[in-house]
Amino acid sequence: MNSFREIFESRYTWIEGFMRNVRRYANRNAMIDPATNREWTYREVNEDVNRLCNALVEAGVKKGDVVMIQMLNSPEFVFTYVACHKLQCVCCPVNFRLSTGEMAWDIDDSRPKVIIVCASKCESILESLILTKHKPAKVLGVIPEGESVSGRGGEVTSYTDFTKNASPEEPVVTTPYNIYDETVRLYTSGTTGRPKGVCITSINEVLSAHDIMIHFPLNYTDITMNTTPWFHRGGLHCAGPCPALYAGASMVIMGKFDALQTLKFIYRYKITFIVGVPTVLEELADKQEAGGYDLSALRGIVTMGSPLQRAACIRYQEVLTPNIFNGYGTTETLWNTFLRPFDLPDNAGSAGRSCVDDDVRVVKIYEDRRAEPDDLAAQDGIDVGEVIISSPAKSPYIYHNNEKETNRKYYKDFIYTNDLATWDESGYITIVGRKDDMIISSGENIYPTEVEAVLNLHPKVKDCIVTSVPDKIRGQMVTAYVVPDDESVCATELDEYCKQSLELANFKRPRYYRFVHQIPFNATGKKLHVKIKETALQDWKNGFLVKV
């Protein structure tokens, strides 16, 4: 048994899976970059990975070092991700939308040996480094050969210059790989406070890839494309480099989402799976109705970030593909509940049921303590509780450098998500909001998502987000920000609609409205209720809200 354990722990790693594909699919297409009109076979990807590996070793990078990347989806992102696995380093992708101060915080928290950024981030990374205590040994930019960018924070040298003379041969690895080594560190989106560094091990990545392969399902004949960034869990580990390269599939790279280009790419490259948030699907459906592109290659579209409402789901099934998938989860645990095409549209609006290897529950809520994992909310579709998740396959149950948050968030093998939900006797979970977003008006609990779901059914509403503003009598007053689909819509019309709705109690209807061109989302497609609450407070003070 000791022999089996040694073999299992050293060989059942993500990098071993990738190298198996390099050997058996050497000449099969692994990656397509439409921006540069370049394609790579598995052998060619591996050679470019090795060039980066050998250059990093020459620069003093060793096992356990952190390589931070801040870039759009790109070939260099893929090379860095795989190279970190090979060198037993930690790949740390961060949001390319971060401010210089936010980026400085991440740098000081993870202390990267090397930072690699795309061309558009060269100047801002140097501004961040003015603010940091930690200074990386090397900063690389995806900029033309022979160029560099200098500033008070140091110098960014060309990635091409750094790697061009390095050997394409396999780097020397002196210590065995281990399934428990940290391979990736992702930062939470930080919508409610400072982001947390989520540590992910090699075995977590292997089993995350397996989860994708089970639920799509994904195999070596597939061609995938993410319309969302790879710096978050739903990008990197859902059709991104982790599962695609582990399964032997091919990836089409999209650096920045464009609905029309996405439809053209599906036809041109025979893409079988795309991944995008619901707002992406809405744009795709609009363009597809106008253009009528050939999408016959698609085996499915996977969406996450927020639940699909029934009407939207039916539209996407009719206009894009009948095979719509919807996942719910966290940065810490990937996805943990799932809706397959045969679950939809009947269960649209819910987050689905637990995935194969996950245990997702809804537990009671107490003001003075957290519920025990077996202290369950009633499975009646009415009783609201907190979602907790046990996902040992996909989470190591620890935050980097943050014992306080680790102890607060994880308890008895479960992560306490702060998401509020109901569930029914079949285990289907419906998210109704977050603890921090809950509105208390005249002593009644109101969840923004249930109000949003009703408003979004109105034919003149394209999308909306619901929050609250202060009220002397009620405590809080429900407030809706609406993106109109028809400019003739007004607050009075929507108020009357809510009064007549059988799905919304009268005390839950919005009493203030504002019509806007867009609502705030984070990169993973989640509505930023914390941001709109700040906006609403200012609009309320300035008299910009319409009262009904």
Side-chain angles (χ1 to χ4, degrees):
M1 292 299 291
N2 286 339
S3 176
F4 165 74
R5 180 175 177 175
E6 290 175 6
I7 294 169
F8 180 79
E9 291 183 352
S10 64
R11 299 282 294 178
Y12 201 54
T13 58
W14 187 91
I15 192 61
E16 289 286 352
F18 170 75
M19 291 307 298
R20 288 194 296 269
N21 291 334
V22 171
R23 293 188 290 271
R24 61 190 165 198
Y25 302 138
N27 297 315
R28 186 189 294 272
N29 192 295
M31 190 166 67
I32 302 167
D33 181 24
T36 58
N37 200 29
R38 281 202 61 189
E39 298 185 6
W40 287 259
T41 64
Y42 269 86
R43 183 185 64 253
E44 290 167 338
V45 167
N46 190 52
E47 288 174 349
D48 276 339
V49 166
N50 289 344
R51 289 186 180 92
L52 177 57
C53 282
N54 289 313
L56 288 172
V57 170
E58 185 69 21
V61 173
K62 59 186 183 302
K63 179 178 179 178
D65 283 340
V66 174
V67 179
M68 184 172 281
I69 52 179
Q70 187 183 39
M71 63 177 76
L72 299 168
N73 300 353
S74 63
E76 291 79 13
F77 191 121
V78 176
F79 301 148
T80 306
Y81 171 72
V82 182
C84 286
H85 277 279
K86 279 202 178 190
L87 296 181
Q88 300 167 293
C89 295
V90 179
C91 180
C92 184
V94 293
N95 192 334
F96 51 74
R97 299 188 182 101
L98 293 181
S99 67
T100 54
E102 291 169 325
M103 185 64 177
W105 191 93
D106 284 356
I107 292 170
D108 277 336
D109 190 55
S110 273
R111 302 178 61 82
K113 185 71 169 284
V114 174
I115 300 175
I116 306 177
V117 299
C118 55
S120 64
K121 303 303 297 185
C122 288
E123 292 183 2
S124 67
I125 191 65
L126 294 180
E127 292 175 7
S128 295
L129 290 173
I130 296 172
L131 306 175
T132 63
K133 295 178 181 178
H134 172 79
K135 308 299 179 185
K138 201 79 176 176
V139 181
L140 306 175
V142 184
I143 53 180
E145 183 178 346
E147 291 189 10
S148 63
V149 179
S150 299
R152 286 176 56 205
E155 183 178 56
V156 180
T157 57
S158 167
Y159 176 98
T160 303
D161 288 338
F162 183 71
T163 59
K164 66 180 180 180
N165 295 322
S167 170
E169 300 301 317
E170 292 296 327
V172 176
V173 177
T174 58
T175 56
Y177 294 116
N178 190 283
I179 60 173
Y180 302 118
D181 286 340
E182 183 185 3
T183 49
V184 166
R185 186 176 302 157
L186 298 176
Y187 279 89
T188 59
S189 53
T191 57
T192 57
R194 278 296 187 187
K196 299 179 287 291
V198 177
C199 304
I200 301 171
T201 65
S202 182
I203 191 63
N204 292 146
E205 295 210 81
V206 168
L207 296 177
S208 293
H210 283 185
D211 215 11
I212 304 303
M213 293 161 71
I214 290 170
H215 287 92
F216 278 25
L218 179 72
N219 63 64
Y220 68 90
T221 67
D222 281 304
I223 302 171
T224 72
M225 186 175 77
N226 289 85
T227 64
T228 50
W230 287 337
F231 64 71
H232 62 80
R233 194 77 187 266
L236 184 62
H237 291 99
C238 178
C242 173
L245 297 180
Y246 191 86
S250 179
M251 292 182 297
V252 176
I253 297 171
M254 172 163 279
K256 188 175 182 181
F257 172 65
D258 181 283
L260 188 58
Q261 286 285 49
T262 297
L263 297 173
K264 291 179 178 180
F265 289 167
I266 292 170
Y267 171 70
R268 183 186 308 168
Y269 300 115
K270 307 303 179 189
I271 293 171
T272 58
F273 282 101
I274 63 169
V275 175
V277 297
T279 52
V280 163
L281 271 63
E282 188 68 16
E283 289 190 50
L284 291 176
D286 288 345
K287 295 294 184 183
Q288 178 63 7
E289 285 180 331
Y293 293 90
D294 182 356
L295 306 182
S296 58
L298 270 182
R299 296 176 188 168
I301 298 178
V302 184
T303 185
M304 59 191 69
S306 59
L308 283 176
Q309 299 307 317
R310 180 181 174 85
C313 180
I314 292 172
R315 182 189 181 211
Y316 304 150
Q317 288 179 315
E318 291 176 348
V319 175
L320 300 172
T321 174
N323 297 322
I324 301 293
F325 303 76
N326 191 199
Y328 159 79
T330 68
T331 302
E332 293 86 346
T333 56
L334 187 56
W335 61 31
N336 313 106
T337 64
F338 204 67
L339 290 163
R340 293 184 173 94
F342 50 74
D343 293 309
L344 297 167
D346 291 349
N347 294 290
S350 82
R353 291 188 285 196
S354 298
C355 294
V356 175
D357 292 327
D358 296 302
D359 184 359
V360 184
R361 305 176 184 180
V362 180
V363 297
K364 294 178 180 178
I365 300 172
Y366 299 101
E367 291 185 9
D368 59 341
R369 68 187 190 281
R370 58 184 164 195
E372 294 296 313
D374 58 357
D375 190 6
L376 305 178
Q379 289 188 251
D380 57 5
I382 299 172
D383 193 21
V384 175
E386 180 178 5
V387 178
I388 64 171
I389 299 167
S390 178
S391 185
K394 293 171 287 189
S395 175
Y397 291 80
I398 190 171
Y399 294 118
H400 169 71
N401 196 29
N402 200 332
E403 184 178 358
K404 180 181 178 182
E405 279 300 300
T406 298
N407 294 333
R408 187 185 72 84
K409 197 86 169 182
Y410 296 104
Y411 178 66
K412 292 188 176 179
D413 303 332
F414 282 83
I415 179 173
Y416 282 63
T417 65
N418 208 36
D419 286 335
L420 300 174
T422 63
W423 60 341
D424 63 20
E425 59 184 6
S426 298
Y428 284 93
I429 291 171
T430 300
I431 307 297
V432 298
R434 289 182 62 80
K435 284 184 177 180
D436 345 61
D437 300 332
M438 187 172 69
I439 300 165
I440 303 176
S441 184
S442 298
E444 298 280 2
N445 294 342
I446 302 170
Y447 307 102
T449 53
E450 60 181 344
V451 184
E452 292 164 4
V454 170
L455 284 173
N456 280 335
L457 290 175
H458 193 285
K460 294 182 181 179
V461 173
K462 188 173 185 66
D463 204 354
C464 68
I465 185 170
V466 169
T467 184
S468 66
V469 294
D471 184 76
K472 290 182 179 179
I473 298 174
R474 292 183 174 88
Q476 292 177 299
M477 195 83 86
V478 181
T479 304
Y481 281 72
V482 175
V483 179
D485 201 33
D486 183 328
E487 295 298 331
S488 69
V489 70
C490 65
T492 303
E493 180 180 356
L494 292 181
D495 185 50
E496 187 60 32
Y497 173 77
C498 289
K499 287 178 181 178
Q500 299 299 323
S501 173
L502 299 178
E503 307 297 325
L504 194 70
N506 190 54
F507 72 85
K508 297 179 182 180
R509 80 179 202 272
R511 304 305 174 93
Y512 286 105
Y513 284 89
R514 185 164 191 193
F515 295 92
V516 293
H517 294 297
Q518 61 183 14
I519 55 179
F521 290 90
N522 68 10
T524 62
K526 294 180 180 177
K527 293 179 180 179
L528 288 172
H529 289 90
V530 66
K531 185 173 181 180
I532 204 67
K533 190 165 188 175
E534 296 171 358
T535 301
L537 181 60
Q538 292 303 313
D539 287 348
W540 175 71
K541 290 178 179 178
N542 294 326
F544 295 155
L545 301 177
V546 177
K547 189 173 183 180
V548 292

